[in-house]
Every structure is written in C-alpha cells, then in structure tokens.
Amino acid sequence: MGRSGLICAFLLAVCCCSRRAAGVPGEAEQPEPELVEVEVGHTALLKCGLSHAQGNLSHVDWFSVHKEKRMLIFRVRQGQGQSEPGEYHNRLSLQDKGTTLVLTGVTPHDDRIFTCQGKRRAQEHRIRLRVYKAPEEPSIQVNTLGISVNSEEPVEVATCVGRNGYPVPQVTWYKNGQSLKEEKNRVHIQSSQTEESNGLFTLRSVLQAQVSKEDKDAQFYCELSYRLPSGNHMKESKEVTVPVFYPAERVWLEVEPEGMLKEGDRVEIRCLADGNPQPPFSIIKQNLHTREMEEERTDDNGVLVLDPAQKEHSGRYECQGLDLETTTSLQSDQQELVVNYVSDVRVSPAAPESQEGSSLILNCEAESNQDLQFQWLREKTGKLLAKGQALQLHNLKREEGGGYRCLASVPSVPGLNRSQLVNVAIFGPPWMALREKKMWVKENSVLNLSCEASGHPRPSIVWSIQGTANEQDQEPQSVLSVLNVLVTPELLETGAECVASNSLGRNTTIIFLELVHFMSSTPDSNRTSNLSTSTVSPPARANGTSTEKKLTEPESKGVVIVAVTVCVLVLALLGAVLYFFYKKGKLPCGRSGKQEITLPPSRKSEFVVEVKSDKLPEEMGLLQGSSGDKRAPGDQGEKYIDLRH
C-alpha cells in the first residue's frame, strides 16, 4: 500500500467516527414527544407511555426538561408517588393507578418537555406540554396630532396593544377592511413584545404610513390572532380615524335653513373649505347703500347668526379665508341672501264708529317683497268674512260691534304673515247682559255680585247698595263690575240693582237673592249648602237686541231625592194595579176577544194596593176589594196602602 492508500484509509476511519459521534439522522434518533395542550390555569394530564406492565410502572421517575436542563420532579415507588422539592411541589399527583401524572394550576412556565423514565434507563417517554392563554381585547391609540399629506416619510398612524397572551399573538393591520402589508416608503409595521413576571406576553405594534387626502375618513384597526387547544381564534380592536391635513383649494358659503327665509327665522351663515384643518374665515356683506363689502361679526365658531332675521339682513355675502400652511388667500363666490318680509299692517279708519243701521268700509294695507293675500276675520269666532283689502259692513247691528282682524300673508312662504286688529264701535245706550237674575245664597256669607254692560260710549256702573266694587274692561265697549257684599236680612229683602249709564242713556239689572233651604244632613245636601251661584229666573233681556247669557239655578239635592222617590212609588203602584187586573182576567192581554173590567157597584171607586216587601214583583199580592174577595193562604202579614183618598 502506498502513501496515498494510507491517507485514504485514515480519512475514511475519521469520517465514520464523526458520523457516529454526531448522531446522523436515521441513526438512533429519538421519537417525537407526545403533544399535550392546555390553557393557563387548567390541569394537565401527563400519561406515561411506558409498558403497561405493573412491574414497569412500579418504579418511575418524572423529569422536566427546560433549556436543556433535566430536573427530577416526581418519584413513583411501589405505586406510591412523592413530589420533589421545587417549583412543582404540591402541584403534582398520581391518577389511573399511577399511569398518569396530574399537574394542576398550569402556568406559562410549564411550557416545556416532561419525561417519565422506568427502572431501566433505556425506558423513557417524552411529553411536550404546550400552554396557551388568550390575550385581552386589543386596545388601539390613534395619532391625535394628525398627519400631513405632504410628509415624505411614513408617519405613525396608530399603536395597537395586546396584553396577557401566551404565546405571543400575531398582529395584522387593516385599513377600510383591507389588510396592510409592509411597503417600502409607504407602510411600515414595527412590533415588539414584553414578557411579564407571570410569564404572559404584552404585544405592542406601531403602524406607520404615508397618507393621502382620500384617507381623511379611512378606518384603521388591528387584529390579534392566537391559538387555544380548541383551535385558532382572533380578536379585533375598535376602528379609529386619523386626522389627515391637506391644504384647501376651494371655499364656499353655506346658509341654514335652506329654502325660502322669512322674518323671525333663526339663520346661520358659515364658511366651509375643502381643506383640513379649516382655515380662519371672515364673512363679508355688501352694504346696500355704499355698495362696499363690510366684515360681519361672527361667533366663536366663525358662524354669523341672524336671530331673528330681518329684511335688512338681505344682501350679498361672501367668505374670505387664509390657508396657514400654504399662506394662500381664498375667496368664495358671492351669494344672494333674501329675507322675505311683510311690513306692519295698517287698517283705516283706525278707530271706526258707526250708528246702528249704517254702513262702514274698512281698508287694509301692507307691503312685502312677495305677492300678498288679504283676509278679514271676526275676532271672537275666527270666522272668515271676506278676502281682499276692503271689508264692507252694511246695516250694522249692535251685535256686529267689536273686533275685526285683517290678515296679510304671503302664500309662497308658509308661515309669513302679519295682522292688525281693529274694534268697530256702534253708538248706543248701555246694553245689559241680563235684566233680572236670581242668586241662591247663604245668610251671613260674603257674596260677589256681578253686572256686565256694553255700549258706546263706554258705560259706567253704579250699585244701589253699599259694598266694594271692582270694574274690569271686557272689551273696548264692555265693562264688568263685581261687588263684594255681606248677605244680611236687609239685603235679602231689598235685593241689589246695577245701573249702567252713558251719554246716550241708562239701563239696569236687578238681582234677587234667595236663601238655600237644606232638606237633609247627608253629605250631598251638605255640599248643597256651599252653593252660591247666580241664576236667571226668569231670563229676561235688557233690550230687544240683547243676546241672553244663560245662567243655571242650583236646586236642592234633597228636593230632587224626594221627587225621585215619589215617582218610583207611583210607578210601583201603577204596575201593581195593571198586574191585578191581568190576573183577574179583566185585561185582554194575551187573550182573544174583549173583556170588561167590573167591580162591585159599591166599590168601583175604591182600591187597595197590596205590597209584600219580602217578595219579588211577580210574587206580590194582587189588588183586592174590601169585601167578597178571599186572600190566598199564607198572605198574613202583608201591608196595604189605601188609595181611596
């Protein structure tokens, strides 16, 4: 063998030794460990995979392997287990006749390999324990300072944080529902994790991006993906919007409310631009007289508020702004603002007067920037009398005096109208509401007597008795006088007289007073004693053209009760009589032919009504004559009402 042959043999021997020492794949490889998955806080069952022969399991040692360090944690001898001191002390126990090691209160630190080894060291079973913990709901914090579209580098958009998960979850960023990927100079995602003292992880991910004007309303959110023994899961954060700044290119003016405006409305004028943030604005209005543009005063938000709007607010308005980023001056188009109006309504004559039977014409005037419609209404009833500017009243009667209203409205602008009330006075002597009236009173009580009169000129009222009087104007030509008096025997005897007079005559109303009589002391009658209401008895007009005011007269409830009782008794007697004749066959009810009602000659005008208080109506005794009729057996004790008188 030459030198070259010796070298080859030596190299071959070295290669073979190296293969055995390095554990080349395929030569004495250990099998994959058995996988056991469990959540943090739960219990893990580690089943020893050695031979099930009782002899093999009577002597077993359990080890934990962490960072290539092997540590004895539990011994099994003759089927009895004993935990070794350390981190697993008091957390391990045996189950299933010693074939399973039970690990309670699993923590992230238990994520490792466990082995069970028999008496013969060649017998060993490896178990891979995987521990999982779902992270909390991810929180997201947006960059509140905002991002300019002119930024040349990606700027922080938002930060996503997922706390207390194990292992570290995966994060994915989304914009408007589309996932974001790393993109050079456009999108950058930087994530980091922190291990807490309890072994759980907190993930922090920062999204950086360049934005455009279209991203001003974009919705960003993050998603955490993680695994549990039950499978894969995910949690999403809320959506956020990042402020995006870009210069304005256009400015315009906005008016609220839209549509036709009218006097009295609240109107807001504001300026808007297509940039963000909005530049500072000024609102300019053209002076109607000088034609110069003058700046208007706005509120703190830059809004011009017209409240209430008036016709003087009409005119041309425009906005002026300055973009602070580009220092560009911006100006809007001019916009015409029209506040529709109706001027004060004028009626002539302003204080119309007329005699009865005469005619009168009322005229109405008003101005507006729109076409007007005029209507005349009766003030008391609201009845429409006429359309147009003139109202003609012919053959006036006293009742036609009073208020008339002219309404000027703009049909094209709903709600825009004004009106004016005018009172028509009809000359005449005082006109009393009532000529006479009666009042039920209680002696020694304090009473208010009222008297109403109308006329033109306005009448004055005096009373025939002493008291405290108070006058109130009801209408322009009507007055109400209220007299406060004490009810005395003298007042009950004389009554009271109200006298109304003006330059054209006088008129009176007489008030009669009657005492209230009490029929019983029942609660209803007691309430009756408190009544002191004026009444009309009989109702009489003060003059031929008067319209009566009908007042109710109180009645004693005791009297009503007596009257009702009498009526009931009469009806009961009548029914008993008819029933008697029916039973005696003297009524043709339900019979064919006619029968004559007969009585003994000496008793034809005498009847006795028999009433049994303890029987139903159909069982009551019948009417009987005083002689010749026999009572039915068992009718002793009946009561009789003699109607002969």
Side-chain angles (χ1 to χ4, degrees), residues 538-613:
R541 294 182 178 180
N543 45 53
T545 61
S546 171
T547 300
E548 295 181 7
K549 292 189 176 179
K550 188 174 181 180
L551 304 175
T552 59
E553 176 177 344
E555 296 181 354
S556 170
K557 292 188 178 179
V559 175
V560 174
I561 293 173
V562 171
V564 172
T565 304
V566 172
C567 291
V568 172
L569 289 175
V570 172
L571 291 175
L573 292 176
L574 179 61
V577 171
L578 294 176
Y579 190 79
F580 168 77
F581 285 120
Y582 172 72
K583 283 295 185 179
K584 290 296 184 180
K586 299 185 183 293
L587 287 178
C589 301
R591 303 171 185 266
S592 62
K594 299 181 178 179
Q595 294 186 6
E596 184 178 350
I597 300 176
T598 60
L599 286 173
S602 62
R603 308 294 292 174
K604 285 186 178 181
S605 62
E606 298 179 12
F607 296 89
V608 176
V609 178
E610 179 185 57
V611 180
K612 295 179 69 177
S613 60

Side-chain angles (χ1 to χ4, degrees), residues 248-261:
E249 298 176 357
R250 188 173 67 90
V251 175
W252 66 93
L253 184 143
E254 185 178 84
V255 178
E256 290 184 357
E258 297 180 348
M260 302 284 279
L261 303 177

